[in-house]
Amino acid sequence: MQTSQQLINSLLLLMGTHNPEEKVRVADELWKNLHSSSKSPLPITHNDRAYFLYKGNAETVMLVGDWTYWQPAITLQKIEHTDLFYGIQEFHPTARLQYKLIVDGNWILDPSNTHSSIEGFGQNSEFWMPKYRDESWLEPHSKVVHRGNVKRLEFNSKLLGEKREIFLYTPEYHHTDGFSLPLLIVHDGAEALSIGKFHHILDNLQSAGKIPPCAALFITPKDRIGEYALNASYPDFCIHEALHEALAQWKKWNVPISEDSSKRSITGASLGGLLATKTSLQFPKDIGVCIAQSPSYWWNQAEIFHSPYLKNAAKVEFHLQTGTVCDAQKMTESMFHRLKHLGATVLYQEFHQSHTWGNWRTNLASALQSWLSPMSIPHHIQS
């Protein structure tokens, strides 16, 4: 099994070889060694560089990904006298990103990469730079995993004038007198379950004793942009209807949910992150903690920075997360400083990832642990 440096050296040797027959031999040998070196050989990552390779009969091969805003901006170079294409890109050593290849106009997953990520718009190839460490808790860290129960409910919304869908996640827990469960409210509820796997993250954190048992309410939108960004009554729907219905159902099941606002958190990503921020500021007595991932604070000329509800900032604990690659970094950092100035407790985290479910599901666990198992950590963190 060859190391990444040895494989890179073979690629550099190939690029410096002039004899056509020798080039073909070295290219074939490189490809053979590459695929015998690991389960997912491509791209080759070393220090701050990623080496993308494609071997096949093609006229053009392009690379598109998080860092190009998914625009076809990078053409892989064909090595003369071979059917091998290559491209070299620089990234932060802890980056975790997604990409696809465009082969003669066809968008495809990298056939030599078994790592992929499911997103709202389909599946992408994924790679980790050498110093990336997976702390997603998507997989169990303990022998015994206590699985929570997820139930789907429908109810009639007077505010929205139609039936709406919610999901209630109830964890396994030991009932004792005076005990009540903290509550996480999640926007984009159906996708947070099917794509984000948030319930699995809760299961695994709780089973390993990293957080106490925690219930969760997943709220599903119908007209996402219209409701999250344009409907001023949607936060009222979330608190006065969706949350009300969920609490009433848990009461019927004899499941105790905490009434302490510091034990109630609301989370969302992108426009959901904006909505989570708005909702916590508008209803700090009901929701005392906000976890905003890649929040779209830029929406409508950054109107959130002029919200009259910012007067309530000091009553809410904020956990702000953003990627650094074509994500919401600048506006999220600006909000961090604004909230700090207003007296709020704020944790700000940057990850060298992008505006994807892959980013949000791999970093939710960090926010959940800092909320439910707070430790002495800096307010501004780069990962």
Side-chain angles (χ1 to χ4, degrees):
M1 181 180 295
Q2 292 194 334
T3 66
S4 59
Q5 185 61 68
Q6 289 173 322
L7 292 168
I8 293 167
N9 289 342
S10 296
L11 175 62
L12 297 177
L13 173 64
L14 173 62
M15 293 165 62
T17 300
H18 299 289
N19 182 283
E21 292 182 357
E22 181 67 8
K23 271 200 165 185
V24 172
R25 186 193 68 79
V26 175
D28 290 342
E29 183 177 351
L30 168 61
W31 200 250
K32 179 180 178 181
N33 290 334
L34 183 68
H35 285 75
S36 65
S37 64
S38 65
K39 186 176 180 181
S40 286
L42 290 177
I44 306 169
T45 58
H46 185 70
N47 294 332
D48 62 349
R49 291 188 175 185
Y51 297 77
F52 296 86
L53 296 172
Y54 176 82
K55 194 173 191 294
N57 184 20
E59 292 294 325
T60 61
V61 180
M62 301 191 74
L63 178 64
V64 61
D66 288 331
W67 65 100
T68 73
Y69 286 99
W70 292 94
Q71 298 302 309
I74 302 166
T75 301
L76 300 191
Q77 300 300 309
K78 186 175 183 179
I79 299 178
E80 191 179 15
H81 304 301
T82 76
D83 59 355
L84 194 63
F85 297 77
Y86 79 95
I88 305 172
Q89 298 285 297
E90 290 188 1
F91 302 103
H92 192 278
T94 66
R96 176 197 157 281
L97 296 167
Q98 300 177 28
Y99 70 101
K100 277 184 175 175
L101 299 176
I102 307 177
V103 180
D104 290 340
N106 297 311
W107 291 55
I108 65 169
L109 297 175
D110 187 340
S112 295
N113 185 351
T114 59
H115 290 159
S116 64
S117 178
I118 300 295
E119 298 294 326
F121 297 101
Q123 189 172 12
N124 300 319
S125 294
E126 174 183 296
F127 69 96
W128 300 356
M129 293 299 287
K131 292 187 178 180
Y132 173 79
R133 296 294 176 264
D134 181 24
E135 298 179 359
S136 66
W137 287 86
L138 286 163
E139 299 297 330
H141 288 210
S142 54
K143 292 183 179 180
V144 178
V145 178
H146 301 287
R147 297 293 184 192
N149 183 31
V150 178
K151 293 288 187 181
R152 177 183 178 276
L153 297 176
E154 278 190 345
F155 66 94
N156 290 312
S157 167
K158 293 182 180 179
L159 284 170
L160 302 180
E162 61 183 352
K163 282 188 175 182
R164 301 311 294 254
E165 173 187 77
I166 57 175
F167 296 88
L168 275 60
Y169 166 91
T170 307
E172 285 191 20
Y173 66 98
H174 180 64
H175 188 92
T176 58
D177 290 340
F179 171 79
S180 59
L181 294 168
L183 174 64
L184 177 69
I185 302 173
V186 186
H187 291 306
D188 287 304
E191 286 198 346
L193 289 166
S194 63
I195 300 177
K197 308 297 183 184
F198 283 11
H199 54 314
H200 293 328
I201 296 169
L202 288 166
D203 286 340
N204 294 331
L205 285 171
Q206 292 165 129
S207 297
K210 294 298 181 180
I211 62 172
C214 177
L217 163 62
F218 293 84
I219 306 174
T220 303
K222 285 190 176 180
D223 174 14
R224 189 172 185 271
I225 293 179
E227 292 167 1
Y228 283 18
L230 302 175
N231 189 340
S233 66
Y234 196 78
D236 291 274
F237 158 76
C238 293
I239 301 303
H240 294 141
E241 293 192 335
L243 177 58
H244 175 79
E245 289 289 333
L247 292 175
Q249 186 61 59
W250 272 312
K251 187 175 182 179
K252 290 180 182 178
W253 294 339
N254 294 316
V255 177
I257 304 296
S258 178
E259 296 181 1
D260 182 349
S261 63
S262 69
K263 297 299 182 183
R264 291 183 177 183
S265 178
I266 191 165
T267 187
S270 192
L271 281 176
L274 172 65
L275 177 60
T277 305
K278 286 182 176 181
T279 306
S280 62
L281 287 171
Q282 189 171 342
F283 299 102
K285 291 183 180 180
D286 299 279
I287 307 295
V289 181
C290 172
I291 300 172
Q293 298 185 297
S294 304
S296 299
Y297 291 146
W298 51 267
W299 182 265
N300 196 17
Q301 299 180 329
E303 66 175 355
I304 182 67
F305 287 91
H306 306 287
S307 169
Y309 295 113
L310 281 170
K311 64 184 180 183
N312 295 325
K315 301 175 184 177
V316 181
E317 175 183 314
F318 292 90
H319 298 254
L320 307 182
Q321 296 184 334
T322 180
T324 62
V325 181
C326 301
D327 199 6
Q329 181 182 14
K330 290 185 178 180
M331 298 294 281
T332 307
E333 187 171 14
S334 294
M335 182 59 79
F336 164 70
H337 293 297
R338 181 66 185 278
L339 293 171
K340 287 288 290 182
H341 177 73
L342 293 170
T345 299
V346 193
L347 173 68
Y348 173 82
Q349 294 177 294
E350 291 179 356
F351 302 95
H352 296 289
Q353 300 192 41
S354 190
H355 199 81
T356 62
W357 272 108
N359 178 4
W360 308 326
R361 65 174 167 254
T362 54
N363 296 310
L364 175 70
S366 174
L368 292 176
Q369 290 178 89
S370 61
W371 163 41
L372 293 171
S373 301
M375 299 173 63
S376 179
I377 52 180
H379 288 292
H380 189 288
I381 298 177
Q382 287 187 322
S383 297

